[in-house]
Every structure is written in C-alpha cells, then in structure tokens.
Amino acid sequence: MTVVAEQKIDWRAIVYNGKVDILDEYAGRDALLEKLTSTFLDAVEKLESKAARAAVAAEGLRSLHKHFPPHKVAKLEAMVRTQMRDDLYFWAQQVGRETIGLEDPFYVDMLIVLRIHYPFLVARESEVPEEPPYDWEERIRLGIAALRNPKILANQVSRRIRKRGKIAEHKIAYDPKSYHGELPTLARAHGAHIDTWYGHSFDGFNVWLSIDGVNTDNTVILYPELFGHRVDYDPRSMYLAEGTKIPKPTKVDLKPGQLLLFNPEMLHGTQVNISDETRVALTVRINPKVPRFNDDAPFNAEHWYASTDLAKRRYTHVSVFPANEYQGDPSIAQEAVPPGTLPRVTVENAESGDTVLCSAAELDQAGQVAVDLGKRKLLLVKDENCIRAFNRLCPHRGIDLADGHVDGQEAFCPGHGIAFSLSDGKSTCAALHLRKLEVIERDGQIVLPGKRGAAPVEEAALADG
C-alpha cells in the first residue's frame, strides 16, 4: 500500500475498498491545532507548574515525559478533552462535510479518544495514576439530551440488561486483565484489532489526528492487505486467535498536524512506544450513514451527533442507536485470512541430554521454523553464516511471534508491532529483546544441547560442506 497526501477524498474508496488517506490540509486545521496546543499548555501549568509549561512550550508536546509527571497524565487527558470537546465535535462535522464531502445527515460519535503515550521505559515505571474528576458536565449534557429524547434513558437501562444476559450466555467474555496484564495504565497500547470486535459501528471512518511526537516507533499500525478478510480473535483477551497469521505491519509515519483517514474495520493497532518521544494523538469516528453494530460485542458506541445538529452547535441533541435495533454485518466481503507459510513443529523435550528440534533440511528449505518444545516456544532462523534460536514469545505481552511477519532480518510481534532483529533478538527498546538460545547442527539435525552438552558458543556455525 502506498499512502499519499492528497486533498480530494473518495470516501467510498476508504469505507468500502480500504483506501488510506493522509491529509496535510483539512477543514479548521490551523485554528484547531493552535487551540489544542494552548489548551495542553494551560493544563500542564494548572496541574504541574509554570516551569513545566515553559519547558513543554519550548520543546513541544513530544517532550511531556521530561517535564510532566506520569501519574497525572490521565488528569491531563481529561482536562484537555473536556475543554476541547465542543470544538472537536464541531471540527469533526466540518471535516466530514467540507473535507470528506459527506452529505447530511452523517453522524459523529460522542466518544472522543485523546491519548498521551509516554515512552515505554518511562511509562512502565509509572505510579498509580491520579484519577480525573468525574465528568459531571458530560452527565448533565446527556441528562438534558435524555429529556429531549427519552429513548436514551430507556436504552441505558435495557443495554445493561442485554449485556449482562450475553455475559451469562458466554457471548461476551472480554477480560481486561487478559488484555493488559500487569502493565501500568500509562504503558498500555491497543493490540491489533478491528473496532467492531469491541462494538463500534460498521462502515465508518477513523479520523486520526497526529498532534505531536508521532513516529514509526510509536505510531498507528495498519494491515491493509487484510481489509475485507475475516480475522479471527479470542473474545476473552481480544487478541488475534492463535494461528491467525498476519503480514508485516504498515507503520504510518505522520508529521504533526497530519490527518489519517481509514476504515477501522481494517486490522490496526498501536505500536508500543519504544521511541524516546511522547506521542500525542486523538481520534473521532464518523459514519456516513446510520450506524449499525455487532450486538454481541462487549461495548457499543450508541450515542451519536447528527451533522445537522453539530453544524448548529446543538450539543444536547443526541441521537441514540441501540445495538439490538441497529444490528448489522460487514458490507465488505469477508474472505478467510490466507494461511501462514512459517513451518511449525512440535517436539518432546528430552528429560536429559540433547533435544532434536527439526531436520536441517527443513530449516534449509524454509529459512525459519517455529518449534513448540513442551511449554517453550522457539524460533529457529538460518542465514548463510549461522543458525540461531530465540524464545519466540514477545517479552512485552507474551504474544507468539510465529503469527506475525518473519523475514530474513526481523520478526514482528502480531500484538503491538515491535520488530526484533533476527541477528541478536534485540528491538530498539533496551528492555524488550528475545532470549537467544544455543543450538547446533549435527548429523542432519538441529539440536538444542542438554545441560551437559551445551554448545560453547551462542551462535552455531554451519557445518562445512
């Protein structure tokens, strides 16, 4: 896929063909970015200090991790989102109408996602976050909207009953701990997913704004080759189902102020921030038509603004689309994901002595082989100089690298896109690397030496001839 900057939008190609657009110019750009920056700086000063504000103003929002304490980030996100909320709603309908060219009425999701991602090495050491104050303004707004539209309140009650029933029927099994593990909140990132798994609408836009600090070591990652394919997932962890092979991630390089448009039914995720910059970005969702949902998802985005109401800044006029009444299916044909080509073998671990992992011929032919050795999962790699073996579980969240893209140089985690060198197992983050194992080639077999016969060198040299 080639992502190009262009100003003429073919929204049907984005929604139905998986086209991706990056925009340098769009409706309301300069005014929005200026106000976002000033709002961030005001919030930094209020929550921390004037000195912190001055430092961030001088170095950019990408330097937030140097000057603003991690445990206050949730408060910062909430403060900026609350103060910018109406501006962002109005801007979203401007983009939909003036930039994308949608006809009224189209719909803007009430959920605005503003995310600050500190570098992983900083975020993983963060303290328990200070919780932002309860958003009474949003509750009051929704209450007024419910007086105008009683269906909102009725749906709030019925949705709780519906979702509890689906949990009891095991149609919903999502477990947040299986998704995030023990990572601190600030260190979390979205694994590869499709938004409708969680309950977002079909046939819409993700409007993804790069505010500052976005780079290929922390960006949004896309899998455009799988658009229009049925990607299976584990409904408990919400990660890809085991054995679902995905291609090399497309890591979208975005400059500050650029706008990314794509259909979130394309498999996508967040690259763990292994850069040394803070990533600041926001997303809003736009649907060209009435939203439709998968009612068996753990959540559903059922509250929307009509473009005609936002154009008049009527923020207490909210449309509700109950998922059980507005059910749908993908409009795009759902082909099966092509099977992976990485050979996999299962062997028993020898109780003592050496363990044969696979034949040398099999590794010669494929170049890489995934080996299941009891509870251990290994990746064997051969190049013209040597044979190497690595633990193939990503050290970030334990995702199996065999389901990601593996080539002669790198293995990419299918969870969050981290690339590991197949020469030494390292990523660009010092804390995330694959454990390297000693293997040897002997009598036409690739062997993992036992304790008494361990190979004396880390890399096993290829046999002559």
Side-chain angles (χ1 to χ4, degrees), residues 26-45:
Y26 45 86
R29 178 190 187 277
D30 293 342
L32 179 74
L33 294 174
E34 182 179 351
K35 189 164 186 178
L36 274 169
T37 300
S38 64
T39 303
F40 263 108
L41 294 176
D42 290 345
V44 167
E45 179 176 341

Side-chain angles (χ1 to χ4, degrees), residues 345-350 355 371-378:
V345 297
T346 301
V347 297
E348 296 294 329
N349 193 11
T355 301
V371 179
D372 293 340
L373 180 61
K375 293 183 179 180
R376 302 170 71 184
K377 294 182 180 294
L378 310 179

Side-chain angles (χ1 to χ4, degrees), residues 114-139:
L114 174 65
R115 284 286 182 266
I116 299 170
H117 286 271
Y118 275 15
F120 181 74
L121 292 180
V122 177
R124 69 172 185 162
E125 303 298 333
S126 59
E127 304 170 20
V128 176
E130 293 183 6
E131 293 297 324
Y134 188 77
D135 192 350
W136 285 107
E137 180 182 326
E138 179 76 358
R139 293 297 96 188

Side-chain angles (χ1 to χ4, degrees), residues 248-283:
K248 182 178 180 178
T250 296
K251 301 185 178 186
V252 186
D253 195 7
L254 294 169
K255 299 174 184 177
Q258 285 188 320
L259 193 66
L260 174 69
L261 301 179
F262 68 98
N263 182 342
E265 287 178 74
M266 177 187 295
L267 188 72
H268 65 286
T270 300
Q271 162 76 55
V272 178
N273 190 354
I274 54 178
S275 76
D276 58 1
E277 296 183 323
T278 294
R279 188 195 93 172
V280 185
L282 70 83
T283 61

Side-chain angles (χ1 to χ4, degrees), residues 191-192 221 223 239-240 246-249 251 270-272 392-406 410-420 434:
I221 50 182
Y223 298 90
Y239 284 109
L240 299 171
I246 62 175
K248 182 178 180 178
K251 301 185 178 186
T270 300
Q271 162 76 55
V272 178
R392 72 169 197 264
L393 295 183
C394 178
H396 174 237
R397 285 291 297 117
I399 306 298
D400 192 342
L401 299 181
D403 291 332
H405 178 76
V406 180
E410 295 176 306
F412 291 83
C413 176
H416 302 91
I418 303 172
F420 297 95
L434 303 179

Side-chain angles (χ1 to χ4, degrees), residues 312-325:
K312 298 177 181 178
R313 300 184 185 270
R314 299 193 299 199
Y315 301 117
T316 58
H317 291 238
V318 177
S319 301
V320 60
F321 301 99
N324 62 323
E325 297 179 23

